[in-house]
Amino acid sequence: MKAIAFTQSLPISDANALQEMELPMPAPGPHDIRVAVSAVSVNPVDVKMRAGAQPAPGEPRILGFDAVGVVDAIGSQVTRFKTGDRVWYAGDITRPGSNAEFQLVDERIAALAPKNLGDGEAAAMPLTAITAWELLFDRLELDKRETQGKTLLVVGAAGGVGSILVQLAKTLTGLTVIGTASRPQSQEWVLSLGADAVIDHRQPLDQALQAAGFEQVDYVVSLNQTDHHFDAIIEALKPQGKLALIDDPELIDVRKLKRKSLSLHWELMFTRPMFGTDDIERQHQLLTQVAAMVDKGQLKTTLAEVLGTISAANLKKAHALIESNATIGKLVLAGFTG
């Protein structure tokens, strides 16, 4: 099968940073579905792994997590899918990724794709939808709390996770949602997703909030530059507030949370598949729920741009764009050539 992989960590400008190659067709394990990949999107985790991981000699690493495709074969214990089903998923960081013609995925972390979205539109959503859902409902447990009259600040709301998290928060909770974005284009994007207000994260967040009429907030979801904003986030949070994050900040002094009895929650959407947790099927369930919400018109795709077919050249372009830290929504590639 065709695949795009890397054999050593190189700058994305290097000709060999990502390479097209022929690799063996994978055989499904008991719980696996084998998917003929139709479309993928590129996430910051792809960039981080390419820049920081060193594959073992002779073992090219295939990146890619978000994907939409058609089930081509199933394992002996698969019960949720049959060949021909169109599925979406975000994959498992410990297994070969979606930048290939065929991929193996545990059926418990995949779901039927939304009927009302094309392959590219759907491929933009799984990883960020799982991340946002788990942040809101598994980490902050907002489905178990009274949210009317409460406020949520989303730092980095125009990115992939922020773009779906704003929608989920507005659709499924009573929260007032304030997003951060710095450029007029990204601010307009966040407002179009349903945010009640947008502030500029180039300003100290606590001061920008007050200027927008919000003295403090009950919850903060920080999606990037948490270390840069940490002190301002603490000032912005009400006593007994909650901070959730997904990035990899430089060292932060969590002792600063004590005075206000603030709690800290970390989210990594790969935890369930990586450790085979007892509730691993929760990702199948939540992706099924998200697909239903999409088909009912309650959520819209966060696709920003289709960069072309799934090729080394187009993937390198996507990685470079993500490294620029100026993307809005999600970057997608669809189909293979030749």
Side-chain angles (χ1 to χ4, degrees):
M1 67 174 184
K2 295 178 182 177
I4 297 91
F6 73 108
T7 56
Q8 58 180 318
S9 179
L10 295 168
I12 198 58
S13 57
D14 192 290
N16 294 318
L18 294 169
Q19 303 174 56
E20 297 181 12
M21 55 187 69
E22 290 286 333
L23 295 175
M25 176 76 81
H31 284 289
D32 288 337
I33 54 174
R34 188 171 68 199
V35 179
V37 175
S38 303
V40 303
S41 71
V42 182
N43 293 279
V45 64
D46 295 88
V47 173
K48 289 178 184 177
M49 291 189 67
R50 191 211 79 247
Q54 292 291 353
E59 297 182 14
R61 178 65 195 264
I62 305 172
L63 296 172
F65 301 98
D66 281 322
V68 172
V70 174
V71 177
D72 160 79
I74 61 174
S76 59
Q77 296 181 33
V78 169
T79 60
R80 295 168 182 82
F81 304 102
K82 63 183 184 302
T83 56
D85 283 343
R86 179 171 173 263
V87 297
W88 68 343
Y89 53 88
D92 179 345
I93 202 167
T94 66
R95 304 185 72 178
S98 59
N99 296 337
E101 287 186 290
F102 295 89
Q103 182 185 12
L104 298 180
V105 183
D106 190 310
E107 65 163 336
R108 296 170 293 183
I109 61 172
L112 294 175
K115 298 185 177 83
N116 292 344
L117 292 183
D119 290 342
E121 295 172 313
M125 299 182 71
L127 184 147
T128 52
I130 294 171
T131 301
W133 191 290
E134 291 183 350
L135 271 169
L136 293 172
F137 305 120
D138 291 317
R139 310 298 165 239
L140 295 177
E141 298 184 321
L142 293 177
D143 53 338
K144 301 174 184 176
R145 304 179 187 279
E146 176 55 60
T147 55
Q148 291 294 333
K150 304 291 186 180
T151 46
L152 167 68
L153 174 64
V154 183
V155 181
V161 175
S163 295
I164 188 66
L165 189 142
V166 167
Q167 295 184 70
L168 288 172
K170 289 304 298 179
T171 304
L172 297 176
T173 78
L175 292 166
T176 295
V177 178
I178 307 132
T180 82
S182 58
R183 294 173 294 139
Q185 182 185 7
S186 54
Q187 290 173 350
E188 290 172 11
W189 170 266
V190 173
L191 289 171
S192 76
L193 298 172
D196 298 287
V198 179
I199 63 173
D200 188 344
H201 50 230
R202 291 176 299 185
Q203 310 299 322
L205 294 181
D206 53 329
Q207 296 175 27
L209 275 171
Q210 291 175 8
F214 300 94
E215 192 64 29
Q216 291 183 312
V217 295
D218 299 279
Y219 305 99
V220 173
V221 169
S222 183
L223 304 174
N224 54 46
Q225 295 190 308
T226 298
D227 49 342
H228 176 74
H229 297 297
F230 190 61
D231 288 342
I233 287 171
I234 292 171
E235 291 300 317
L237 275 165
K238 294 179 181 179
Q240 301 182 90
K242 299 182 184 299
L243 166 61
L245 61 150
I246 66 169
D247 61 339
D248 300 300
E250 297 299 322
L251 290 178
I252 52 177
D253 186 354
V254 296
R255 296 173 296 182
K256 294 180 178 181
L257 303 174
K258 182 177 181 179
R259 184 171 65 91
K260 286 186 174 179
S261 295
L262 304 176
S263 59
L264 180 66
H265 308 262
W266 227 301
E267 159 63 15
L268 177 67
M269 64 128 302
F270 294 116
T271 295
R272 281 171 163 142
M274 187 188 309
F275 292 98
T277 59
D278 291 341
D279 64 349
I280 186 174
E281 188 181 13
R282 183 69 182 126
Q283 292 195 346
H284 162 77
Q285 295 165 350
L286 71 85
L287 280 177
T288 299
Q289 290 177 267
V290 171
M293 293 176 70
V294 169
D295 286 336
K296 291 176 183 176
Q298 296 173 318
L299 297 173
K300 62 181 181 180
T301 180
T302 54
L303 168 65
E305 185 177 1
V306 178
L307 297 179
T309 58
I310 305 169
S311 67
N314 289 333
L315 282 167
K316 288 174 69 176
K317 181 179 178 181
H319 279 234
L321 286 168
I322 288 176
E323 287 180 352
S324 75
N325 293 317
T327 55
I328 296 174
K330 294 294 292 294
L331 304 173
V332 167
L333 298 90
F336 290 84
T337 55

